[in-house]
Amino acid sequence: MTSTIAHIHDMPARLTACCFAISCAVVFLTDPLALPRTVHRQKRVERSWFRWLVENAARVPIIALIFMAFFAISWRPIYAAQATMSFFIIFTGISRAKFIFIREPLIFSDIALVVDVFKYKTIFYATSLNIVFWVAAFAYVFGASALYMYYEPHVLPQANRPFWVAVMLLAAALPWIALFVKPVSRMAARLSERLLVTFDVRRNTIRFGTFASVVFHFAVWLGVKRDKIVAEIRQSLQHALHELHELIGLEDEAAPLIVIWQSESFLDLRNYGEKDFHLPNVDRMRRHAVQWGRMTSVFEGGYTLRTEFSVLSGLEPESVHTDASYPYLRAAHYTDVVWPTKLKKAGWRTHFIHPYDRTFFLRHKAMPLLGFEKMTMLDAFEHDAQLDGPYVSDMALTKKVVRIAQGADVSTPGLLFVASMANHGPWEPGRVPGLKDPVAIYKHLLVETDKALGRLFSELDKLDRPVWLAFYGDHAPLLKSFADPFPDPRTDYAIVPLAQARLKRGRGVEPVEEAPWNLFRVTLSKAGLLRGDLQ
């Protein structure tokens, strides 16, 4: 066997070209497996033969860069081919698994979440990434590599070896490094935009394969001029950027407090005919609301930050370009256009409250940039995961919010943005004593949220100031045993006047569908805090 391989290596250039061609063929054949056939049919792209050739030709340099990387570290063509095929197939497999789980293929911003996946396994449903997984993964990567290094001769030229090693390493690395040079990155972004045409990740995964799609989206994200995008956003939203009143209400009245409560995975299952449980405080909230109904979904089953950013910014996902998948990576670009910043500039006190690790989703960096003066995170709660469950309960969060609201200066308007965690999955046996069925566990958690909401409602209603409570679910739960996907992924919301704002209560208000990017503006408008036609 060794002699046969050595004989093949007598023609290194032909062998390398052949190995690269085989790599391309395998990648092209396996890339479509990233998405089920039904999605291929639904997202089928009508394109000319010329366009088809251009798009497929654009994938070859991406494959070549990965092939060169493995070749540069080994100078073994067969190894480089096997490693390249494995690399792309692994990306395809991850994309397929992600789509089956959460109905979105792999995207470039998922790379930024890799560390979090391993750090917060429960929240990412990644508990299977245990010691067995790592042993198998390392055994494959290093075991296969060792076998190739032992059995396959290298094709490194005898003369000037350091020179050729340096040349190949530079050839493999320089294109990636060049992406971070502004002129190059902007040119790459323009080319990638022309190739992609759309930022529909499903469509682009079908057209380019998982890894090439990730690269092209990343190139756009990295190279596009952010100041231009933000300028366009400001211009398109100019009608919504009315100044807040300098003086809120009459001089002898207390300043308002707005509490926006983002309820993790909250969706009233009674919307789907489930009548074996009760949510009396949700019903009470709707009766007293000036507006309530179903809220359209930014994403089903996860990515809370996308809904959160839509609410805080008032921006539709399409308006923020490739930032939409992970807006907190570039939070600084949206500082001036988000609602908390505008409130802070108008003299409001802004406070973000979230009972989870402050570094998750980079909130510790993003929230101050998005206009929040204060942050209350997991370290401010006395929570023992072994005794209290994986997440801080909504009742414990309510008590914290009430204390903060009671201690706030009534002469200064305030914003409390609360992001809960209690309803987050997984809904596994042991989560709730005596319950094993995920749907039953989820319903129990909804009831607990309802109890907390009742206390929040009652305590805020006692404050000596106008209070406005906006409550909404961030996305449908990833409750596959109930529905996969949900036939209607819209969540629930309500805007309720409390305390001194009770005079503005509606009577028998009919439900209204609302979008998350409109919720903040509508809340301010209902409270009479916006000038002009938005009131």
Side-chain angles (χ1 to χ4, degrees):
M1 178 180 175
T2 305
S3 60
T4 302
I5 294 175
H7 177 70
I8 294 173
H9 279 68
D10 289 340
M11 300 173 287
R14 291 184 182 180
L15 175 62
T16 303
C18 182
C19 287
F20 176 66
I22 292 171
S23 299
C24 289
V26 171
V27 170
F28 273 75
L29 287 170
T30 56
D31 271 349
L33 300 177
L35 294 171
R37 290 182 180 179
T38 53
V39 179
H40 282 263
R41 289 194 292 269
Q42 293 168 359
K43 295 289 183 177
R44 186 174 179 178
V45 182
E46 296 295 334
R47 46 189 169 168
S48 65
W49 275 101
F50 178 75
R51 182 74 191 181
W52 182 86
L53 287 171
V54 168
E55 290 179 359
N56 282 282
R59 299 164 64 183
V60 176
I62 305 298
I63 303 172
L65 285 172
I66 300 303
F67 184 90
M68 281 195 297
F70 287 113
F71 186 83
I73 63 174
S74 67
W75 283 84
R76 290 167 169 82
I78 300 176
Y79 168 72
Q82 188 270 341
T84 299
M85 290 184 287
S86 295
F87 180 91
F88 278 86
I89 289 171
I90 287 170
F91 265 83
T92 296
I94 293 172
S95 193
R96 179 67 174 250
K98 183 192 171 189
F99 183 85
I100 290 173
F101 191 64
I102 206 168
R103 300 197 176 275
E104 182 182 72
L106 197 69
I107 55 178
F108 80 93
S109 57
D110 288 334
I111 309 301
L113 293 172
V114 168
V115 174
D116 281 347
V117 170
F118 297 110
K119 187 177 179 181
Y120 309 105
K121 291 181 182 179
T122 299
I123 204 170
F124 281 105
Y125 305 85
T127 52
S128 60
L129 301 180
N130 51 28
I131 189 65
V132 175
F133 168 85
W134 288 112
V135 169
F138 278 97
Y140 173 74
V141 172
F142 292 103
S145 297
L147 289 173
Y148 275 104
M149 297 303 169
Y150 181 79
Y151 285 107
E152 183 185 4
H154 64 75
V155 295
L156 182 63
Q158 294 294 327
N160 300 317
R161 285 189 171 182
F163 170 77
W164 289 112
V165 169
V167 166
M168 185 53 65
L169 288 172
L170 285 173
L174 276 179
W176 301 109
I177 296 172
L179 279 178
F180 295 89
V181 179
K182 278 190 177 180
V184 177
S185 68
R186 287 175 180 172
M187 181 179 67
R190 287 194 295 270
L191 290 173
S192 296
E193 279 190 287
R194 292 184 66 180
L195 273 172
L196 292 173
V197 180
T198 174
F199 294 120
D200 185 326
V201 66
R202 294 187 185 184
R203 203 176 296 272
N204 290 336
T205 300
I206 293 169
R207 292 162 61 208
F208 299 101
T210 298
F211 186 70
S213 175
V214 165
V215 171
F216 293 141
H217 278 256
F218 174 71
V220 174
W221 178 83
L222 189 64
V224 74
K225 290 184 178 180
R226 323 311 296 181
D227 52 352
K228 180 181 177 182
I229 292 175
V230 175
E232 290 174 354
I233 289 170
R234 287 198 184 102
Q235 185 176 2
S236 65
L237 295 179
Q238 195 62 41
H239 69 283
L241 300 181
H242 291 257
E243 290 184 71
L244 295 167
H245 289 297
E246 292 181 6
L247 296 175
I248 306 300
L250 301 176
E251 292 184 1
D252 59 346
E253 289 183 352
L257 173 69
I258 290 180
V259 180
I260 298 183
W261 186 294
Q262 176 178 271
S263 187
E264 171 62 46
S265 300
F266 185 93
L267 193 154
D268 190 346
L269 291 187
R270 295 177 300 175
N271 296 328
Y272 305 94
E274 297 291 314
K275 304 298 184 183
D276 59 340
F277 70 109
H278 302 283
L279 303 176
N281 293 300
V282 169
D283 295 336
R284 177 168 67 137
M285 184 173 61
R286 289 167 177 162
R287 289 195 303 271
H288 290 83
V290 292
Q291 184 172 317
W292 68 278
R294 306 293 295 278
M295 193 171 79
T296 55
S297 182
V298 175
F299 193 85
E300 179 187 341
Y303 288 112
T304 295
L305 81 163
R306 297 182 187 178
T307 305
E308 185 173 280
F309 181 76
S310 288
V311 172
L312 290 172
S313 66
L315 302 175
E316 298 182 42
E318 293 78 9
S319 300
V320 293
H321 215 244
T322 48
D323 284 340
S325 62
Y326 196 165
Y328 294 164
L329 287 174
R330 291 280 174 84
H333 291 287
Y334 303 97
T335 295
D336 294 334
V337 298
V338 296
W339 284 110
T341 297
K342 288 182 278 186
L343 290 171
K344 187 169 74 169
K345 287 181 177 179
W348 288 53
R349 295 288 178 258
T350 55
H351 196 149
F352 181 80
I353 306 167
H354 179 51
Y356 203 64
D357 193 314
R358 64 180 54 244
T359 65
F360 188 61
F361 284 149
L362 299 178
R363 284 190 177 100
H364 65 304
K365 295 181 180 179
M367 291 308 162
L369 292 170
L370 297 180
F372 287 101
E373 293 178 319
K374 293 183 179 180
M375 294 178 65
T376 297
M377 307 297 280
L378 181 60
D379 50 18
F381 293 81
E382 295 180 1
H383 178 70
D384 186 334
Q386 298 296 324
L387 298 175
D388 305 324
Y391 310 113
V392 173
S393 71
D394 279 351
M395 185 60 77
L397 179 57
T398 290
K399 292 177 181 178
K400 177 72 72 175
V401 171
V402 168
R403 284 196 294 270
I404 292 171
Q406 290 171 340
D409 181 5
V410 296
S411 65
T412 305
L415 166 68
L416 302 181
F417 189 95
V418 186
S420 75
M421 284 298 297
N423 296 329
H424 201 292
W427 303 277
E428 299 174 337
R431 178 83 180 268
V432 176
L435 296 179
K436 295 182 179 180
D437 175 55
V439 177
I441 293 170
Y442 178 71
K443 288 179 181 177
H444 175 87
L445 294 174
L446 291 183
V447 171
E448 293 301 305
T449 292
D450 184 80
K451 292 177 183 177
L453 186 59
R455 175 152 184 178
L456 178 71
F457 189 107
S458 299
E459 294 296 330
L460 292 180
D461 203 33
K462 296 175 185 177
L463 296 179
D464 189 23
R465 66 190 305 180
V467 180
W468 292 83
L469 171 64
F471 176 91
Y472 69 94
D474 59 347
H475 54 70
L478 199 62
L479 196 61
K480 291 181 177 290
S481 58
F482 181 82
D484 185 26
F486 269 78
D488 182 352
R490 293 178 302 168
T491 59
D492 303 273
Y493 82 95
I495 301 170
V496 187
L498 299 170
Q500 291 182 8
R502 282 180 296 178
L503 295 177
K504 301 192 180 215
R505 282 180 180 167
R507 294 182 179 276
V509 177
E510 293 296 318
V512 176
E513 181 178 277
E514 195 57 85
W517 46 86
N518 290 332
L519 186 68
F520 214 122
R521 178 186 60 80
V522 170
T523 301
L524 292 174
S525 179
K526 294 295 183 182
L529 301 176
L530 290 178
R531 293 185 187 276
D533 59 357
L534 292 180
Q535 290 194 40

